[in-house]
Structure formats: C-alpha cells, structure tokens
Amino acid sequence: MNNEKKKILILLVEDEKILVRTLEDRLVAEGFDVTKTFDGVQGLQMALLEHPDLILLDILMPNVDGLEMLKELRKDAWGSHATVIILTNVKDTDILAKGMGIGLDGVGNTYEYMVKTDWSLDAIVSRIKQRLNIAK
Amino acid sequence: MKKQTNIKKLLKPKTPLNIQGAFAVEKEKYKKTSQTLNVIRKCDQALIYITDEQKLLNAICKIIINYGPYKFAWVGCAENDKNKSVKPIAQAGYEQGYLKSLNISWANNIRGNGPTGTAIRTKKVTVCKNMLTDPKFKPWRSEAIKYGYISSISLPIQIEDAFGALSIYSPKPDAFSKKEINLLVQLTNNLTFGIKNIRKNLEKIKIEKELNESEKKYYELFNRAVDAIFIANPETRKIVDCNKSAEKLTGFSKSEIVKMKFSDLHPKELKKNVASAFKKHSDGKIVQVYAEVQTKDKKIIPVSINSSLVHIKNKPYLQGIFRDITSQKEAEKKIREYNQQFEKLSDNVPGLIFQFTRTSNGEYFVPLASKGIKQIFGCLPNDVVDSFKPIAKVIHPEDSARVINDIEYSAKHLTYFICEFRVKIPGKPIQWVYCNSKPEKKLNGIVTWYGYIYDITDRKNIETKLMESEEKYKGLISNLPKTEYVVVHRNAKILWITDSTSSFLGYAKNNIIGSSVLDYVVKEDRHITSQNIKRRMSGKKVFDYEIRIINSERKIINVLVKGSLIDFEGQRAALLILSDITERIKKDRGILKEKQFLDNIINFNPNPIQIYDKDGHNVRVNEAYMRMFKVPPTQDYNWFEDPVAIKLGLHEQQQLIKKGKRVKFPDMTYNPHWVRPEFPDVNVAFDLNVFPIMDSNNQLDKFVLMYEDITERKAAEIKIKESEEKLRKVFENSTVGISIVGPDGKWIKVNNRLCNILGYSEKELLASGYLKVTFPDDIQKTKDFNEKFISGKIISGHLIKRYVHKDGHIVWVEIGVSLVKGLDGKPQYFVVTTDDITLRKELDEAKEGFLSIASHQLRTPLSITKWVLESLLYEKNLTPKQLENYNDLIYSNERLIKLVNDLLNVSAIDTGKLSINKNKVDINKLITDISLSLKTMAEKNGKNIKIINNTNNGELYGDPALISEALENLLTNAINYSSKGSNDITIRVNDRASDYVISVHNDGYIEPDIQEKIKKYEKFVRGSNATEVQPTGSGLGLYITNKVMEASGGSIWFKSNAKQGTSFYMSINKK
C-alpha cells in the first residue's frame, strides 16, 4: 500500500471473536487500518470518534444490535453519509426490510447487506475495495 | 272607650279562644299546601326521568305518601269484566292488606258508590270528607278504621279508552281543601300527560322497529319474488337494482343488468312503444303494458309489465315488475285455436250461434257469431264484434222496444233470454226468429249471453194460418214447422198416410199402406214405438217421444212423435204426428260445442278453478286445480260442511254464498293428507275467491272457487323466517366474532364472541367505533383497507390486524369483511367476522424467531470455518497432501452451508412464511454480485462466468433476496452440472416490456426423461447422473427457485438439447 497516503480505516463491529480475528488479519494484510469493537454501543462511539472510511457491521450482537446502531449512526451528520456494509448471518427478509428502511432514511448512502456464509474473504475484500473505489 | 270595650270583648273570650291554636291551624293549612306543592314538584321530576309506566305509577304513589301529609295512595284501573271491578295497579303507604279487602266496583251499585267507583263512573273528583259519617262509604268503613283512614279523595284518570282513579287517604277528617283539590287535579293531569308520553314513545320505538324489519323483509321479498323486478332511475331509466328472478328472466347477471337502461330489455322494434307507454307515469299510478323481453341468448319472452313510481328512502324510483306470460300466451293461443274450431263447426249449423255482451254501462256488442248471422240479420260476424247497430237496424220497429226490454230484464235478473221477434232486412220478406240464450255475469259487471237464434218464419206462418183455420186442426199441428201424419192400427200396421209423408219416407204410398210402421224405425227404437202405440190405443196417456226413422236412402231422421186416438174408417186407430227434429238436434249439438268451448276456457285457465253445485258437492275442477292439489276432490266431501272451515269459524261466511254474495278467503292452507291418509302430504297455500252463479229464480245454482296459488310466496316467507332465525343463532353463538359495521366505522351489531375478544360489553362497543380500539400502528392499514371498499375496488376481503383489549393487551385478529350495498348502490354496511389469532400469531412468531435464530446460530460456525480455512491458504506452505485435505474441508463446508440455506428456505416455503419485501432492485448489480460471490467456486470447477447484458437501466421493483436466491441456485447448478469440455457459463439479461428475462446457459445436456421429472419442480428430484457428477446436491435447488419465483411474481423454465446445451430462464416482473 502507498505509505504517503493516509491509511484507510475500517471499523469492525462484530461480537464473534474468531471472525473478528480472521477478518482483521485479512484486512490488515490488504493494507487497511482496522479498529475492532464487539457490540453496538462501542461500535457507535468508535464510529463517531474515528470517522472510519468503512464500517463492517454485524446485526445480532449484545447490548445494542447492528440495526439499532445504524439507526443512531444515521442521525449524525457524518454518520448519515458513512459507508456501511452489513455483514451478518441473519438471512431474514423482515430484518432486511427494516434495515433498508433505515438506510433510505439516511442521506444517499444505502447500506449494503452481505450474508457471511455466502461470501468468501476474497469476495468481501474486493467488495470493500469496490465501495472505496480502490483499484484492485 | 268603645274601642277598649271592643278590645276587651275580644280579649274576654266567651269560649276559650286559643289564638295560638288558630294560628296553628293556619300554619298547619299552610304547611299542608306547601307539602302538596312539594308533592307536585317531585311528581313532575319523576315524570321527566321515569320512562316505564308501572314504575311511574309506583313512584307517584310513593311521592304522595313520602312528601305529602297522606297515609295511603293507590291507583285503580277500571276493568271491563262482569262486575265492573276496579283493579289496583299501583299503591304506596300503610296498605297492609287493605286493598285486598276492598272489592270496589265502578258499577252504579252499593260497591260502586264509594269515592273511587264514583270518580271512575262520573269522571269527576270525588271527596269523602269523613269516612265515619259518609253513608256511601259504609261497605269499607270498618276496614278503613282499622287502617286509620278518615278522609279520602279520588281523582279520575283517563288515558285513551282506559279509565281509572288515583285515590289518596288522609288520617284526618276533611283533609282536602279546595286549594289542595285543585293542586291534586293538576297533579293528576300531569300524570296523565306523562303516561301518554310514555306510551307515545313506546309506540314510536315499536313503529321504528317494525319499519326497519319491514324494510328488510321487503328487500328479501324483492329478491325472492317470483316476478322479475327492476328498479330504475325515473329520469335516466337506468337500472340500479334487480332481483334474482330478473336475472333468471333475462339471462343477464345483475352486474350486466345494472349497466342497462329499461328500454334495453326489449327487442329493438319494441323500444319506442314501451318508452312511450311509460311516459304516462305520474306519481303513484301503475302503468300496465304487455311487451316482450329479449334475453341474453336473443330469446323473446312475452311479459306483462306493471310499473310504478316507488319511494325508497324518500327518493323516487321506477319499479318494473315483469311477469313471464309465456304459458298464459300459450293458453290464449289454444283458446284461439278452439275458437276457430268452434267457428268451423258452428258455421255449418243453420241458424246463428252467438256470444252477446252487455258492458256495465249498457253497451251491446257481439264478440262471437257464426256465419248464420248473414241469414238471420243480413250482416257479417265482423260487423257486430264491437257494434250492435247492424242488428238493431234490422229488428222490426214494432218489436225493437220489447227485445231491448227483454235483454235488460235478462241482464238484471240473469234469467234466460228467450224471445221471438221479427227481422226486417231491406229487400227481403219479414222473417220471424227465435232466440234462446243464457246470461252470465262477470266480476266486472259485464253480462255475457251464450245462445242461438233460428228462423221460425215457416212455423209462424202456419201458426198464423192455423189461427184462421178450424180449431180441431189447430191442436194437431200446433207449433211444429214440418209435420207428417201416419194412421196406424193397434198392431202398428199402417192404415193411412199423407202424400207428403210417403215422400218423406221415400216410398210409394201404396207400398207403405199395409206395412208395419216399425219397418221404418231404427231397430233400437222399435220396442218403444210399439209399446207407446199399444198404450195409446188402450186409452192411456203417452208423452211425446223421440225416435229415429230410416228413409229409403237409409238416412236416419230424428222425429218427435205425438200420438192421438182417432176413429179411422169406423175403427179405432192411432194418429202419429211426426215432426222432423233433425235440425233441432243438430243445433243442440252446436250448443254442446259452445259448452265445450266454455269448458276449455275453464280448463285452460292458469288459475285453479273448482265448481260446486248448490249443495256444496264437487261438479268439476280444471287442470290447474289438479296441478296444485295433486288429487281430485273427493265426491263425498261437502264444501258447506268442511270441518276445517267450521273449526276456523268460516262457516258463516260460506253460507253467504247461498245468498248470492261473493266471498274471499285469503291465506288458506290445504293438505290432501288431512282428508285421507293415503293422499300426499303436501301443504298448499292459496287465496280463495268464491262467487255464486244464480239461477233464474235468483237461487244458488252453482258456485265457482278460484284459487290463487301462494305456496311459493308462503314458502319464501317461512324460509326467510327460518333463515333469519338460523342467522340469529349463528350470530349469537358463533365462536367467531361477528359484527355489522356502518360505513362510518361504528358498530351496529356485535355478537358475544366479539365482545369477548375485545373485552368490552356490547353497549361499550356500540358506543364506539372499531378505529378507537384498533392498535395505533394498524390504524392506517385499517383505513387503507376500508378505502378499498368505499372506492368500490373490492366487496370482500381479509385483513390481519391488531386491536387493543380493554385491559390493555394486544389482540391479533384476522377480519373477514364483506360489503353490503343498498338499493342505491352505496355501501350500506359491512358484515365483519373477527377471529382471534393471537395464539396463532404467538406460535408463528416463536417459529419465525426459531428459524432466524437457528439460521444464525448454524451459519456462524460455518462462516468461521469458511473464513479461517480461506485464511489458511495465505500460509502458502501447505504440502500437496495438506492442500488436498484442505480442499476437501472447504468443499464439505460449502456443502454444509448450501444445505443449511436450502433447508431453511424449504422450511420457510412449506410453512408459508416466505415473506416478500419488495424494493427497488438494480438487476445488473445483483447479477454482478452473485457472479462475484460464485467466482471462486466456478474457477475451481474450471468455469468462467460471462455476463451479456441487454438492459437499459436494469431497475425493477421486487424482492432482492428472493431473486438472488433463485439466480444463485441456477448459477450453482450451471457450474456443477456442466460437461467437462466447455468453460463458459453465460448469464444473459434481456429487457422486455414488462419483465426481465435472465438466462443461465451451460453446455450440459439433460436427458428427456429427466427433463420431464424436473419440469414438476418437486423436492428431491435429481437427474440420474446428477449423483455421479455432483454427489453433494440436495435436490432442493430447483424446487426452491421455482417457489421463490412464483412468490415474487415471476417464473422459471428451461430448454435443453444435446447440441446447444442447457439454458434455464427466469422472468421477473418489473413491478
């Protein structure tokens, strides 16, 4: 990665420790900066504090869940534009619809929804790069 | 001084004057009056808030006792029984049995002269100043003393036609001053007014209820009426409603009919006529026309239309009642045919056979006449159909007045019209005719005669001549137009015969004389002839008799024989005078035909008709009678002794028939089974009209019963009642909440179950609307649903929503709504079923929750394995053996992921929990994403995914998750089941007008028999080689794909052949 540029910061919001570790390893290897949080409360604080370039967000988490956090985030001036990819194993269309609603409320930036088991790490990385407009 | 004396005088009382006492009396009086005023005030209050008559009377009595200086008050009501007793209906005070002992009457006797009885009888206020001294009170004195009553007042009350009195008792003598009496009279007046008011209100409520019910019944009757009924706008004549029979008559459905105008019901050529007929409408008048209706399948049906303006909810409507008169028309046609036959027959009969009619205002015409009229009156049958003039013109002026007089007499008394008169046709000699006819009076006052006229000129001429000739011949040839004479011996041998008689018989005179007269008589009549000759010869009287004679041409001639005793050439002989009556018999036959014609009219009458003789025995019935009653009338039955009629008290009415009165018995029921157990057990309901036919002496001759079958109407009424009862039971006892809701959202009627579901009482619900108890989040949804009904998009539908129970918890319900429209087509009310599905919802939620949790819980370790395995690859120092194991792990994990996804999907589909969430979808992005996610898998199989995109913007409105699921399945299949040789898997997107078609192509080939299996898109169907090629497949992919596409409004199909490979297609609707 290019050292002259400020490194790209990705915020992981995920309670499953092994997944966090695997994702972090891979993302760091790809040259991203990674900040980890393990629930929605921490995630929201960290997001508003650090203004990461992209947030990978799980849904089912202790304390505040991913959708709740997203709702709060969209209320913030910066947060309303933040790039969010929901990365979860909940494949429930009702929840999806709810999340869409939140996304549409924010300004422009609809979130993206990926089911973990359907996506390989490679695919996730290329998707992230695509979203951040980084050529592979 | 004087003054002082006066004062002293005053101060020095003669009798102890107690000023304080006098003051106390005044004070007491004042107190009493104010107490009575208070009583009136309290009573007036009671009048305002008590709405029950009995309660009011009780309250008034109580108030009088509680607030007035009285001991006992009661209200008695005058009974109309034998003793004219007074019945107590309300009371208050120290009665304790007093009333029971009273035995008061309002008759003018000792028990009726007490104050109460007098007040009722005279309708005047009656006071008993002191019961101890009043002689009139004697019968009750001892009782009154026992209870401590000294004086009383009785105030008459009259409400409508009921009388009574309010009686008040005081423990003091002379307790009722004039002022108080006035006040109490005022109280009674107020009370009367109050009770009248209560009754008026009750009456009003009753009438309103009845009106409501009658409207409902009217609509039911309307809908079930046998006649077709159309309701139309009186100005535009557009039909707004019709009943079931209308649909049956026209063949059109109601929805088609209400798009039509009145005139559209008729064939083209009739439209104008019908329209102009209905122009005559003015309010309340019924217009009746005969017309034709053209049915949907272009059949023409004759109808009678009764149309009138009716008011429904104060708006005028045009109501057309159409009755199919096909069968009536047929009967008319038949009658016409018989008519023609009759004409043919009657035309061949000499003389004139006719039907002659006199209208109620004295006009004559001859609707039916045989051709003989030409001979008799010199005119044609058609000339006299609507005019009597051609006949009146030719009746001899000297006879004319007599003929008219006789006709009028016959019309008035319904006696036979028999008359001989002269006819003078210009250019012809004067003709004598004989007329004999029988009158019949129709219900509308029209009198009709049936009869015949023939020429009696010859006879008249003979008569005239005879009058001039000798008396002895007169007797011989009296009143017979053509007469033959034969003189016979005792043994029937002919002694002498006139010349004309021998030519009459057709033999030479010499041959006849000496032969037996019996030789010329038909075999069957020989005996009677010889017997009569012998009788006559022995001096006995013999009446005229008819025999048949055979002439030389073997022609049979009917003759009437008169026999008389004469001396012939010195010996006793019989003179037989034969008159030819063949003509007469022919005419009799003609009349017989006429009778048959009438029979036909009776027989083909669509209404059942029965004729009884004057003793009440059946004479005949027509076909319609048999159709209605199924069995013929029993011969031993006597109508005047009908046991049922006697039981019903109709006996006297039946007797009226004998006096020549018409009688109507509406709404009767008859069951043949009642008469004889072997007869069918069918109830027949009918209206019965009975009218008498009187003979010439104005005595009952016969009487006719005309029945009008009302069985169907009755049955409909009973059915309505039954179904109402049934519905009411269903409504009340239903385990589902049922309610009727007005268009304003208010409950009109609710059943117990609904109250139960919502926790409110019926009263509480009726006072509020359904929106008030709807869960706030569902109010918009409910309003939207409601709007669909109001705007006419739907007339029935279901909705799952939430209510808030009275105790605050949420109740999930499924409501089924159907809209009932009024005659004006506007929503009238909704019938709503409400099913409590809270438990089901809770279970569903639990199940759904389980599914999503389970899927999450299963996927989490799988995704961990997936990603960790992938990370392992970055180590890059795996041995070939490790790499092989590693690939196996990856492969197994993917297989497990796929299986979990499939199973969860199938379970969602099978439980109907496949929810659809439509959203804007970018189809291009969706395809790119999926191909990206499957790229690794494809590459591992040595495949390359190619996308050919022919879309413009690629946007559609659908469920992205479901579309992805389906496409992913097709793509996975394409990767797994393509043949080894080729590399490319092609995804094509085609943009069509209303949908996108995505195809996934590979060069694999599916065998035809497998194709057939796959086409069913069932679970666990796999190709025969599938297990070999792809042992890990679950056999669920296509099943899921098909279901998913069905659910999201799309479809899938495929083509496969050996050369071009296999393409799976999915179409997705854009909206």
Side-chain angles (χ1 to χ4, degrees):
Chain A
M1 276 272 67
N2 196 338
N3 278 333
E4 289 161 29
K5 274 191 188 169
K6 190 181 167 264
K7 268 197 177 175
I8 289 165
L9 177 63
I10 295 176
L11 173 64
L12 282 180
V13 190
E14 167 67 66
D15 63 326
E16 191 61 53
K17 298 275 162 49
I18 308 172
L19 286 179
V20 173
R21 209 175 60 218
T22 323
L23 270 171
E24 186 190 11
D25 287 354
R26 183 64 203 272
L27 291 173
V28 168
E30 290 288 335
F32 298 109
D33 259 357
V34 175
T35 302
K36 306 166 282 183
T37 53
F38 301 102
D39 66 34
V41 181
Q42 288 176 20
L44 185 65
Q45 281 172 358
M46 200 55 84
L48 297 178
L49 194 71
E50 304 251 332
H51 289 188
D53 297 281
L54 187 137
I55 302 169
L56 282 178
L57 181 61
D58 188 20
I59 291 181
L60 282 186
M61 286 182 298
N63 300 331
V64 173
D65 74 21
L67 290 175
E68 281 296 311
M69 183 194 136
L70 184 60
K71 209 162 150 186
E72 288 304 312
L73 180 69
R74 290 301 189 213
K75 289 177 186 166
D76 180 69
W78 170 83
S80 66
H81 291 83
T83 308
V84 178
I85 294 178
I86 289 180
L87 193 58
T88 180
N89 267 327
V90 174
K91 204 176 184 179
D92 186 302
T93 42
D94 283 344
I95 293 175
L96 173 82
K98 245 193 210 165
M100 279 290 188
I102 298 157
L104 290 169
D105 283 344
V107 184
N109 227 336
T110 309
Y111 77 94
E112 185 161 1
Y113 182 93
M114 298 166 99
V115 176
K116 289 171 195 167
T117 51
D118 295 354
W119 293 76
S120 67
L121 287 173
D122 270 356
I124 291 168
V125 167
S126 52
R127 189 86 204 122
I128 290 170
K129 285 180 175 171
Q130 211 180 338
R131 284 298 297 269
L132 295 171
N133 290 320
I134 303 165
K136 218 179 173 182
Chain B
M1 278 308 284
K2 219 179 178 183
K3 252 185 188 171
Q4 271 189 342
T5 344
N6 281 347
I7 291 166
K8 269 182 189 163
K9 253 186 189 168
L10 277 173
L11 287 173
K12 190 179 138 204
K14 277 176 189 161
T15 47
L17 178 70
N18 187 342
I19 289 181
Q20 253 193 332
F23 179 68
V25 168
E26 282 306 311
K27 201 176 145 194
E28 183 63 19
K29 266 189 190 164
Y30 168 76
K31 196 178 136 205
K32 262 179 77 186
T33 313
S34 77
Q35 267 181 342
T36 310
L37 271 170
N38 194 25
V39 165
I40 291 184
R41 206 161 46 77
K42 293 277 178 194
C43 284
D44 285 350
Q45 280 172 6
L47 287 173
I48 291 165
Y49 64 80
I50 298 180
T51 55
D52 180 277
E53 204 175 311
Q54 184 61 46
K55 276 184 192 154
L56 178 65
L57 289 172
N58 284 339
I60 297 292
C61 289
K62 212 171 263 168
I63 288 166
I64 291 170
I65 298 314
N66 287 353
Y67 296 96
Y70 313 114
K71 235 179 161 179
F72 172 45
W74 66 283
V75 178
C77 173
E79 296 282 290
N80 265 324
D81 54 9
K82 205 173 86 191
N83 294 329
K84 293 196 173 177
S85 58
V86 176
K87 184 182 151 202
I89 52 173
Q91 60 81 22
Y94 294 128
E95 173 259 345
Q96 293 168 337
Y98 174 71
L99 273 181
K100 272 175 209 154
S101 64
L102 284 184
N103 187 15
I104 292 180
S105 161
W106 55 285
N108 195 1
N109 59 29
I110 187 163
R111 299 216 74 88
N113 275 333
T116 304
T118 309
I120 291 174
R121 192 173 60 251
T122 62
K123 301 189 180 65
K124 276 180 187 152
V125 177
T126 310
V127 178
C128 175
K129 287 187 175 176
N130 194 329
M131 295 173 181
L132 305 178
T133 55
D134 190 337
K136 284 181 181 166
F137 206 77
K138 204 181 163 200
W140 305 279
R141 187 172 293 151
S142 60
E143 281 295 321
I145 292 169
K146 213 160 84 189
Y147 291 99
Y149 311 141
I150 307 292
S151 66
S152 79
I153 183 168
S154 287
L155 302 128
I157 301 173
Q158 179 179 356
I159 295 159
E160 283 144 27
D161 45 4
F163 299 100
L166 168 65
S167 299
I168 302 169
Y169 295 68
S170 168
K172 289 179 181 154
D174 197 6
F176 302 94
S177 69
K178 209 170 178 190
K179 208 167 173 187
E180 258 184 295
I181 291 172
N182 282 340
L183 287 172
L184 289 171
V185 167
Q186 192 192 328
L187 184 150
T188 319
N189 289 344
N190 290 356
L191 175 64
T192 310
F193 174 77
I195 289 175
K196 276 185 186 162
N197 236 357
I198 287 172
R199 291 192 181 175
K200 224 193 267 167
N201 278 339
L202 280 178
E203 186 71 7
K204 211 174 115 197
I205 290 167
K206 206 178 128 201
I207 287 171
E208 275 171 6
K209 207 177 141 202
E210 278 171 358
L211 258 177
N212 235 337
E213 274 167 11
S214 82
E215 194 179 305
K216 207 165 106 195
K217 274 199 183 125
Y218 164 73
Y219 194 76
E220 286 289 349
L221 280 177
F222 164 77
N223 221 359
R224 287 163 198 266
V226 181
D227 293 329
I229 305 177
F230 300 87
I231 308 281
N233 182 313
E235 271 132 44
T236 63
R237 305 202 177 262
K238 279 186 87 167
I239 298 172
V240 297
D241 200 3
C242 70
N243 65 354
K244 292 215 171 83
S245 297
E247 294 180 306
K248 219 168 116 190
L249 175 72
T250 60
F252 290 107
S253 71
K254 190 168 180 171
S255 57
E256 286 169 319
I257 292 172
V258 296
K259 284 179 197 142
M260 300 165 86
K261 282 187 165 190
F262 239 150
S263 57
D264 296 337
L265 295 168
H266 307 291
K268 258 187 201 155
E269 58 275 18
L270 264 183
K271 277 185 188 174
K272 260 191 192 165
N273 290 351
V274 175
S276 66
F278 286 128
K279 269 186 193 143
K280 293 173 194 161
H281 264 300
S282 61
D283 207 346
K285 264 201 183 141
I286 292 173
V287 172
Q288 188 179 32
V289 293
Y290 288 92
E292 286 169 349
V293 163
Q294 181 165 344
T295 66
K296 195 176 185 179
D297 48 11
K298 306 283 178 216
K299 242 172 73 189
I300 303 289
I301 296 174
V303 290
S304 73
I305 306 172
N306 272 303
S307 109
S308 57
L309 277 175
V310 293
H311 281 85
I312 300 167
K313 295 198 175 141
N314 292 326
K315 266 176 75 183
Y317 287 94
L318 193 56
Q319 174 183 263
I321 303 176
F322 286 51
R323 175 171 287 186
D324 184 347
I325 52 167
T326 311
S327 57
Q328 193 183 321
K329 282 267 166 193
E330 274 165 11
E332 278 173 12
K333 203 178 133 199
K334 258 190 190 150
I335 288 170
R336 256 202 312 281
E337 281 169 18
Y338 276 97
N339 234 336
Q340 278 164 4
Q341 268 179 16
F342 161 74
E343 269 172 31
K344 249 184 230 165
L345 286 165
S346 62
D347 288 348
N348 294 322
V349 174
L352 163 64
I353 293 177
F354 66 85
Q355 182 193 335
F356 172 61
T357 298
R358 180 195 187 275
T359 64
S360 49
N361 41 14
E363 286 171 64
Y364 301 148
F365 48 92
V366 186
L368 198 75
S370 65
K371 275 187 186 156
I373 194 168
K374 177 102 176 100
Q375 210 64 40
I376 306 282
F377 293 119
C379 56
L380 294 173
N382 274 344
D383 299 340
V384 292
V385 167
D386 45 18
S387 165
F388 189 65
K389 266 187 194 156
I391 295 174
K393 219 163 60 185
V394 296
I395 296 179
H396 197 284
E398 282 176 26
D399 294 344
S400 163
R402 180 169 55 88
V403 171
I404 303 293
N405 195 35
D406 282 3
I407 293 175
E408 288 299 312
Y409 182 88
S410 166
K412 195 171 170 193
H413 302 284
L414 296 179
T415 51
Y416 278 75
F417 169 61
I418 300 171
C419 185
E420 293 179 0
F421 56 95
R422 281 164 294 174
V423 174
K424 173 89 184 74
I425 301 170
K428 272 190 169 183
I430 289 175
Q431 218 183 327
W432 272 97
V433 296
Y434 168 82
C435 175
N436 189 337
S437 67
K438 189 187 171 197
E440 237 180 65
K441 194 163 185 166
K442 298 268 163 65
L443 299 180
N444 46 13
I446 292 177
V447 183
T448 300
W449 288 263
Y450 300 94
Y452 59 96
I453 294 180
Y454 63 89
D455 190 340
I456 52 164
T457 314
D458 289 347
R459 198 192 78 195
K460 274 283 175 188
N461 288 344
I462 290 172
E463 274 177 15
T464 321
K465 275 179 192 158
L466 270 176
M467 284 218 275
E468 295 158 5
S469 76
E470 290 179 30
E471 280 294 314
K472 61 175 179 182
Y473 294 113
K474 195 172 142 195
L476 293 178
I477 325 175
S478 70
N479 68 21
L480 290 170
K482 214 179 168 194
T483 319
E484 313 299 337
Y485 304 95
V486 184
V487 179
V488 295
H489 189 254
R490 187 185 175 82
N491 58 10
K493 210 172 97 183
I494 295 176
L495 299 172
W496 181 82
I497 189 168
T498 62
D499 292 348
S500 80
T501 304
S502 67
S503 66
F504 171 72
L505 291 174
Y507 297 99
K509 195 172 169 182
N510 291 340
N511 293 341
I512 295 174
I513 293 175
S515 65
S516 167
V517 77
L518 298 180
D519 294 345
Y520 310 98
V521 175
V522 299
K523 228 184 196 167
E524 295 86 350
D525 294 346
R526 280 177 195 160
H527 181 68
I528 186 172
T529 312
S530 68
Q531 284 296 311
N532 279 334
I533 293 170
K534 276 178 197 155
R535 276 176 69 87
R536 192 74 198 99
M537 290 296 289
S538 59
K540 283 178 189 153
K541 189 168 168 50
V542 172
F543 291 100
D544 299 354
Y545 55 98
E546 285 180 26
I547 55 169
R548 283 161 295 174
I549 295 220
I550 313 174
N551 68 6
S552 60
E553 289 161 357
R554 314 298 303 163
K555 203 178 139 194
I556 292 172
I557 305 160
N558 291 284
V559 295
L560 184 74
V561 184
K562 273 178 191 278
S564 50
L565 218 53
I566 55 167
D567 281 330
F568 185 79
E569 293 168 356
Q571 58 176 313
R572 275 170 90 84
L575 169 66
L576 302 183
I577 308 162
L578 312 176
S579 31
D580 183 349
I581 53 165
T582 315
E583 296 286 279
R584 201 194 80 204
I585 284 180
K586 259 193 202 167
K587 277 168 200 161
D588 283 353
R589 281 199 193 129
I591 291 161
L592 222 62
K593 290 290 171 207
E594 169 75 3
K595 247 188 185 164
Q596 242 164 31
F597 164 68
L598 286 175
D599 278 0
N600 284 332
I601 292 181
I602 291 172
N603 255 346
F604 288 101
N605 198 305
N607 285 324
I609 296 177
Q610 182 172 20
I611 300 176
Y612 282 107
D613 66 15
K614 60 178 190 294
D615 302 320
H617 292 116
N618 175 65
V619 175
R620 61 171 301 182
V621 296
N622 70 348
E623 287 170 14
Y625 176 95
M626 288 303 296
R627 276 199 297 278
M628 182 157 121
F629 292 103
K630 314 290 187 245
V631 291
T634 41
Q635 285 312 319
D636 51 359
Y637 168 84
N638 186 329
W639 192 72
F640 288 112
E641 286 158 16
D642 187 300
V644 181
I646 290 168
K647 210 166 128 195
L648 291 175
L650 300 174
H651 189 63
E652 273 176 40
Q653 255 177 297
Q654 285 182 308
Q655 296 301 320
L656 290 176
I657 295 292
K658 290 184 175 165
K659 291 179 186 155
K661 296 229 166 83
R662 283 185 54 198
V663 189
K664 192 169 177 176
F665 301 96
D667 210 357
M668 310 291 291
T669 311
Y670 174 77
N671 191 332
H673 191 65
W674 298 342
V675 182
R676 292 228 182 130
E678 68 268 25
F679 284 168
D681 188 6
V682 219
N683 277 331
V684 183
F686 52 85
D687 286 343
L688 176 59
N689 264 302
V690 187
F691 38 90
I693 296 173
M694 309 306 279
D695 65 12
S696 50
N697 298 320
N698 209 17
Q699 293 297 309
L700 183 69
D701 179 35
K702 291 189 184 68
F703 56 99
V704 180
L705 275 65
M706 280 195 82
Y707 299 87
E708 195 174 332
D709 190 346
I710 56 165
T711 310
E712 276 185 47
R713 192 183 84 201
K714 274 272 172 190
E717 278 171 12
I718 289 169
K719 254 189 204 162
I720 291 168
K721 247 188 214 162
E722 279 174 354
S723 77
E724 260 174 20
E725 179 67 11
K726 246 188 234 163
L727 281 177
R728 195 179 58 77
K729 274 193 185 151
V730 167
F731 184 82
E732 277 168 10
N733 303 328
S734 176
T735 51
V736 173
I738 304 176
S739 55
I740 294 174
V741 183
D744 57 353
K746 284 210 162 178
W747 272 299
I748 296 168
K749 220 171 165 184
V750 296
N751 73 343
N752 286 339
R753 178 61 186 142
L754 185 66
C755 296
N756 211 313
I757 290 172
L758 298 177
Y760 291 94
S761 72
E762 183 180 344
K763 212 171 156 192
E764 286 169 325
L765 286 184
L766 293 184
S768 79
Y770 62 78
L771 281 179
K772 280 187 191 161
V773 292
T774 297
F775 185 63
D777 285 3
D778 288 350
I779 286 179
Q780 194 52 45
K781 182 160 99 177
T782 308
K783 281 182 177 167
D784 291 347
F785 182 62
N786 199 20
E787 182 51 36
K788 283 190 202 162
F789 285 94
I790 302 293
S791 64
K793 275 186 192 141
I794 53 173
I795 55 162
S796 69
H798 284 259
L799 179 71
I800 291 179
K801 62 178 275 188
R802 286 164 286 183
Y803 281 122
V804 182
H805 190 274
K806 191 179 182 183
D807 68 14
H809 72 256
I810 287 174
V811 187
W812 276 95
V813 295
E814 178 166 6
I815 58 171
V817 180
S818 62
L819 173 64
V820 177
K821 284 182 181 174
L823 286 176
D824 54 2
K826 282 182 186 155
Q828 204 171 20
Y829 54 84
F830 299 95
V831 179
V832 184
T833 56
T834 308
D835 202 359
D836 186 347
I837 55 161
T838 309
L839 203 64
R840 200 175 93 196
K841 261 287 173 189
E842 278 167 2
L843 279 174
D844 283 352
E845 269 167 13
K847 211 155 62 180
E848 262 171 46
F850 169 77
L851 275 178
S852 66
I853 298 297
S855 65
H856 182 259
Q857 295 303 344
L858 283 169
R859 283 195 191 103
T860 301
L862 289 170
S863 52
I864 291 171
T865 314
K866 182 180 171 104
W867 289 358
V868 169
L869 280 171
E870 202 183 336
S871 304
L872 261 183
L873 208 57
Y874 287 92
E875 301 299 320
K876 284 175 183 165
N877 50 4
L878 298 175
T879 65
K881 180 71 192 162
Q882 281 172 328
L883 196 61
E884 196 191 332
N885 289 340
Y886 166 83
N887 278 334
D888 287 348
L889 276 175
I890 292 230
Y891 177 73
S892 300
N893 195 51
E894 284 301 320
R895 191 175 152 189
L896 203 52
I897 288 167
K898 178 77 179 125
L899 194 63
V900 166
N901 283 343
D902 283 355
L903 284 173
L904 288 170
N905 274 328
V906 168
S907 131
I909 288 166
D910 288 355
T911 51
K913 287 291 159 296
L914 189 69
S915 55
I916 300 161
N917 293 290
K918 290 201 170 183
N919 242 310
K920 233 184 231 172
V921 179
D922 180 346
I923 191 79
N924 297 327
K925 181 172 168 282
L926 189 138
I927 292 169
T928 319
D929 284 355
I930 290 171
S931 55
L932 193 62
S933 73
L934 292 174
K935 200 179 157 198
T936 323
M937 181 188 178
E939 278 165 359
K940 270 172 199 153
N941 279 280
K943 301 294 172 209
N944 185 22
I945 302 175
K946 236 170 81 183
I947 301 171
I948 301 171
N949 195 334
N950 298 322
T951 58
N952 292 327
N953 63 6
E955 256 192 15
L956 66 83
Y957 197 69
D959 186 327
L962 292 184
I963 297 167
S964 305
E965 185 72 47
L967 183 59
E968 200 181 311
N969 274 326
L970 294 185
L971 209 52
T972 316
N973 276 356
I975 293 168
N976 286 335
Y977 299 104
S978 62
S979 59
K980 303 274 175 196
S982 77
N983 289 327
D984 281 353
I985 290 171
T986 317
I987 304 175
R988 247 192 206 88
V989 191
N990 270 326
D991 192 345
R992 303 205 299 197
S994 61
D995 63 353
Y996 292 103
V997 175
I998 304 171
S999 66
V1000 179
H1001 175 85
N1002 70 5
D1003 64 350
Y1005 171 55
I1006 308 171
E1007 298 289 337
D1009 58 323
I1010 310 293
Q1011 284 189 31
E1012 286 308 309
K1013 272 197 204 166
I1014 290 174
K1015 266 181 196 160
K1016 292 177 188 157
Y1017 300 109
E1018 284 171 346
K1019 274 183 268 190
F1020 308 115
V1021 171
R1022 305 195 66 203
S1024 56
N1025 57 347
T1027 329
E1028 192 186 309
V1029 178
Q1030 198 59 41
T1032 60
S1034 63
L1036 292 169
L1038 281 176
Y1039 170 76
I1040 292 167
T1041 309
N1042 183 42
K1043 286 281 178 200
V1044 155
M1045 289 314 295
E1046 268 177 14
S1048 52
S1051 58
I1052 69 167
W1053 67 96
F1054 66 92
K1055 284 177 190 164
S1056 181
N1057 62 51
K1059 268 188 192 168
Q1060 285 158 342
T1062 302
S1063 285
F1064 272 86
Y1065 299 87
M1066 51 191 272
S1067 109
I1068 312 157
N1069 289 340
K1070 285 184 180 173
K1071 276 179 182 174

